[in-house]
Amino acid sequence: MNQLRLAFLLWIAVAPWLLFPGAMPLFTLLSLILLSGVRLWLGRQWGRVMAATPLNGLVLVYLLLSAMAFLLAPFPEAALPKLTTLLCGVFGYLLVLDWLWPPAGLNAQTAAETFPVRLTRLMALLAIAGGLIVLGALFTVEWPQRQLWDLTLFTNRLPHLTGTFFVHPNEVAGTLLFLLPFALFLSWFPEDTRPGGAQPANLGRIKVLGRLLLLLMLAGLLLMQSRVALLALV
């Protein structure tokens, strides 16, 4: 799996150019070409371009619609970051799928045995990411002027550490809504009651971590005071 590790490192290295395409457009274009070439190279090595999942069709349709929206956008320079960010996410999603379920050329039994373990690790990482986003947002968010409840006694004491760069609370709240289910799953990690069923050795710690992250993300949603996010949560 050294090939996959190198592909991950490359994806991380070029991600900034895709998230901020306006900084150096040429680097963004080269990054897209490079990631596409790596994906085709991996497909040739493993006999598949992407792992077969029920979401593949939806992902392709979403990419097609996003590309059409970019071509029809009245201000392409404003729409470009959204498209390149989406492409960055799709390339990362495909690499995660390859890691979760290796190609058929590897030992199928080993892949089936490692899948639950890797899936649990992935959910834990996503839940931890949600907690880190809440902590980072405390020092980067532009706190809303219109508030559902007055928290200025707390928010006014928080330092802003990113200068003139601000993060909108709605963006933070939307991200937390996506990551919240992973913490919820870890909080009530299902026990394998089958005879001989495998059970994580640190199941108790997993549940405690999940509940702490769940509480942290719920507190973050309350701090962001995003009406749409709170309605979606309900």
Side-chain angles (χ1 to χ4, degrees), residues 116-150:
V117 177
R118 292 185 175 185
L119 185 61
T120 301
R121 289 178 182 173
L122 176 63
M123 288 189 292
L125 288 174
L126 291 173
I128 292 172
L132 293 176
I133 287 173
V134 173
L135 297 178
L138 295 177
F139 310 106
T140 58
V141 161
E142 183 179 11
W143 298 107
Q145 299 299 320
R146 291 184 177 182
Q147 298 186 337
L148 298 174
W149 40 82
D150 189 5

Side-chain angles (χ1 to χ4, degrees), residues 27-86:
F27 275 62
T28 300
L29 178 60
L30 292 176
S31 298
L32 288 173
I33 294 174
L34 187 58
L35 288 178
S36 300
V38 169
R39 173 50 48 184
L40 293 175
W41 175 68
L42 288 176
R44 184 175 180 180
Q45 295 288 321
W46 293 349
R48 70 181 192 194
V49 178
M50 62 175 64
T53 74
L55 294 178
N56 286 356
L58 294 176
V59 171
L60 292 176
V61 170
Y62 189 41
L63 279 174
L64 179 61
L65 292 176
S66 299
M68 292 175 59
F70 170 73
L71 294 175
L72 298 175
F75 302 102
E77 63 278 2
L80 181 61
K82 295 178 173 56
L83 179 61
T84 55
T85 299
L86 174 62

Side-chain angles (χ1 to χ4, degrees), residues 1-9 41-42 46:
M1 299 295 285
N2 290 331
Q3 299 167 336
L4 186 58
R5 188 177 293 110
L6 290 175
F8 262 118
L9 292 175
W41 175 68
L42 288 176
W46 293 349

Side-chain angles (χ1 to χ4, degrees), residues 8 11 39 50-57 59 86-100:
F8 262 118
W11 176 72
R39 173 50 48 184
M50 62 175 64
T53 74
L55 294 178
N56 286 356
V59 171
L86 174 62
L87 291 172
C88 181
V90 169
F91 280 117
Y93 164 75
L94 294 177
L95 289 173
V96 169
L97 284 182
D98 291 334
W99 175 70
L100 282 175

Side-chain angles (χ1 to χ4, degrees), residues 142-210:
E142 183 179 11
W143 298 107
Q145 299 299 320
R146 291 184 177 182
Q147 298 186 337
L148 298 174
W149 40 82
D150 189 5
L151 298 175
T152 53
L153 184 64
F154 172 71
T155 57
N156 287 345
R157 295 174 180 271
L158 295 173
H160 186 80
L161 303 181
T162 52
T164 58
F165 176 77
F166 289 90
V167 178
H168 198 282
N170 286 345
E171 295 177 346
V172 177
T175 305
L176 292 179
L177 278 179
F178 170 75
L179 297 174
L180 193 67
F182 300 106
L184 185 62
F185 179 84
L186 293 179
S187 301
W188 285 274
F189 196 93
E191 298 185 10
D192 194 343
T193 58
R194 297 173 301 174
Q199 199 69 20
N202 52 352
L203 180 60
R205 293 182 181 179
I206 290 176
K207 290 185 176 183
V208 171
L209 175 64

